[in-house]
Amino acid sequence: MQNFRNYYQILGVPRDATADEIKKAYRRLARQLHPDVNPGDKSAEDRFKDINEAYDILSDLEKRAQYDQFSKFWKQKGFQGKQGVKLPNFTSWGNNKGSRRKPAEDIDFSDYSDFNKFLDQVLGRRREVRMATENDAPRVPTSEPWNTASKKTSYVANSREERRDLDDREIRRETREMDDREIRQDIDARLTLPLERAYSGGTERIRLDDGRWIEVNMPGAMVSGQRIRLRNQGIGGGDLYLKITVSPHPFFRLEMSDICCELPLTPCEAVLGGDIEVPTLDGLVKMKLPPGVTSGKRLRLANKGYPTGNGDRGDQLVEIQVLIPKEISDEERELYEKLRQIETFKPRQNLYD
């Protein structure tokens, strides 16, 4: 028989597949081949029609039983336009009320030149036929009275139209949801900030990998490794995740929530002590320097460290570094010479005792 279609093969299921397996296979293929997903793809459109026809038959228990029962005869000679083959005593195809079709035992498959015409009688599909007029074409004597030289035929499923419309709407909805999931995508980006900006936060203008520029109001007290989520700033409404890196600072160093720094002093400052200005993230503050401070000693500025995130702040630890000048003026040299003569501090005295 010409145009025979193996519906099981079209849906990719075995002949003993369950109704649920057939439905799942159909929906999977329908989502792949739907015209909304493949606009302008003729091949996909043809396959979409094929799987719909296959599902129309195999999803109906009665039609599937008829298809299974009679399709095994498709290779008989009668289907190929040769000697007719009579079927055994089966029930008639599409034996609906009022059917005018012949009982199965009287069916001669040589009457059917292809599979489509065979299915018309089997499944009771209606034909909408526009017959040629007498002026259009001569009558053609045939056992198929609708077969004229010129005609236009369309097929309408007579009992499943509403369900197929419902299936199509459901597939369109699932396809849109699937497309939305595929289009919506979270993205990552890196943002490197100086310590002062990480501490204060504020508006940052960021260029993303896709070429977009966005302005973001960043929170304060950011730390390296922190990920900040920006809703709806990804692809297709996804989210943007910013990974923060705080660049090293030439003066400050973070140790958990404490800020450490090394404060250089002159010998006079170290000896005499007194008020001295110390840089902090909030600006310069005055610190009381005790007299006789030595290198390596740490002094604490309370609540001048980094915010902890729960409303508290760490401390700023100021490590003293007494520096000796390599070059001095003549006046300074004179004073140092005088000081050496009068100073009472003898750091090596115990070495000689």
Side-chain angles (χ1 to χ4, degrees):
M1 176 186 290
Q2 297 178 4
N3 302 326
F4 177 77
R5 289 181 290 282
N6 186 330
Y7 291 145
Y8 294 100
Q9 185 177 354
I10 289 174
L11 292 181
V13 296
R15 294 187 68 88
D16 58 352
T18 64
D20 188 56
E21 291 172 339
I22 290 173
K23 185 176 183 179
K24 287 181 179 179
Y26 165 70
R27 290 194 170 185
R28 174 177 55 81
L29 291 172
R31 283 192 292 268
Q32 295 175 3
L33 302 172
H34 200 282
D36 289 350
V37 181
N38 305 276
D41 190 334
K42 179 63 176 176
S43 176
E45 181 182 350
D46 292 340
R47 289 192 61 197
F48 183 73
K49 293 177 181 178
D50 288 342
I51 65 170
N52 273 278
E53 180 178 300
Y55 183 65
D56 185 56
I57 302 300
L58 299 185
S59 62
D60 186 286
L61 293 179
E62 182 180 354
K63 291 182 179 180
R64 180 182 178 183
Q66 291 176 335
Y67 176 80
D68 289 344
Q69 189 178 39
F70 285 85
S71 62
K72 61 185 177 182
F73 292 95
W74 74 275
K75 289 185 179 180
Q76 298 290 342
K77 294 180 179 180
F79 285 116
Q80 301 172 27
K82 299 181 181 179
Q83 182 180 356
V85 176
K86 305 283 187 177
L87 282 178
N89 187 18
F90 293 138
T91 58
S92 62
W93 287 101
N95 191 20
N96 297 326
K97 184 176 180 181
S99 174
R100 297 183 180 179
R101 285 181 294 278
K102 296 182 291 183
E105 61 268 19
D106 295 333
I107 293 177
D108 187 342
F109 288 123
S110 62
D111 289 342
Y112 306 103
S113 60
D114 59 39
F115 188 68
N116 287 333
K117 294 176 182 177
F118 180 62
L119 282 185
D120 288 341
Q121 176 137 345
V122 170
L123 303 179
R125 294 196 295 200
R126 300 195 306 268
R127 284 178 175 266
E128 297 176 358
V129 181
R130 179 177 63 82
M131 300 295 294
T133 63
E134 293 182 357
N135 296 329
D136 291 335
R139 292 183 177 272
V140 179
T142 176
S143 58
E144 301 170 358
W146 60 80
N147 189 10
T148 63
S150 176
K151 63 185 178 181
K152 185 176 182 179
T153 305
S154 63
Y155 296 96
V156 180
N158 58 357
S159 62
R160 301 172 61 84
E161 192 70 28
E162 292 183 0
R163 200 181 88 178
R164 289 183 64 179
D165 287 344
L166 180 62
D167 287 342
D168 187 64
R169 288 194 297 270
E170 186 173 352
I171 289 170
R172 287 177 182 268
R173 178 183 60 78
E174 293 177 355
T175 300
R176 285 194 299 268
E177 291 177 354
M178 181 177 64
D179 289 344
D180 290 342
R181 287 194 297 271
E182 291 177 351
I183 294 173
R184 188 181 186 277
Q185 181 180 348
D186 296 339
I187 59 175
D188 294 314
R190 293 180 178 273
L191 178 61
T192 300
L193 296 168
L195 180 61
E196 293 89 346
R197 296 289 294 174
Y199 166 70
S200 63
T203 302
E204 293 289 339
R205 193 164 186 260
I206 305 170
R207 188 179 190 277
L208 304 179
D209 290 341
D210 59 10
R212 287 182 296 149
W213 286 92
I214 60 173
E215 286 191 354
V216 182
N217 188 22
M218 304 297 292
M222 292 175 282
V223 295
S224 290
Q226 180 179 354
R227 294 182 80 217
I228 297 177
R229 180 185 181 186
L230 303 176
R231 294 182 180 274
N232 303 322
Q233 293 297 326
I235 297 175
D239 297 332
L240 168 64
Y241 290 88
L242 283 179
K243 186 174 182 179
I244 303 300
T245 299
V246 180
S247 57
H249 195 275
F251 183 69
F252 298 113
R253 184 179 72 257
L254 281 179
E255 291 184 1
M256 303 298 290
S257 61
D258 291 333
I259 295 177
C260 299
C261 66
E262 294 181 353
L263 184 67
L265 297 180
T266 68
C268 291
E269 290 173 329
V271 171
L272 300 176
D275 291 337
I276 189 170
E277 288 187 332
V278 180
T280 71
L281 289 176
D282 298 317
L284 293 174
V285 298
K286 284 187 176 181
M287 182 179 71
K288 185 71 174 180
L289 192 67
V293 69
T294 57
S295 290
K297 185 175 179 60
R298 279 192 169 190
L299 304 178
R300 185 181 301 269
L301 291 174
N303 298 318
K304 287 299 180 180
Y306 214 68
T308 60
N310 57 6
D312 297 330
R313 288 183 67 172
D315 299 329
Q316 180 164 327
L317 304 179
V318 181
E319 183 175 325
I320 300 301
Q321 294 290 327
V322 180
L323 300 183
I324 306 300
K326 294 182 179 181
E327 296 181 1
I328 56 176
S329 66
D330 293 339
E331 184 179 3
E332 289 173 324
R333 182 176 297 275
E334 183 179 348
L335 290 173
Y336 273 115
E337 288 289 348
K338 185 176 181 180
L339 178 63
R340 183 165 60 176
Q341 294 174 6
I342 65 175
E343 65 183 356
T344 59
F345 179 55
K346 306 295 183 180
R348 297 182 300 278
Q349 183 175 359
N350 294 335
L351 297 178
Y352 307 135
D353 293 342

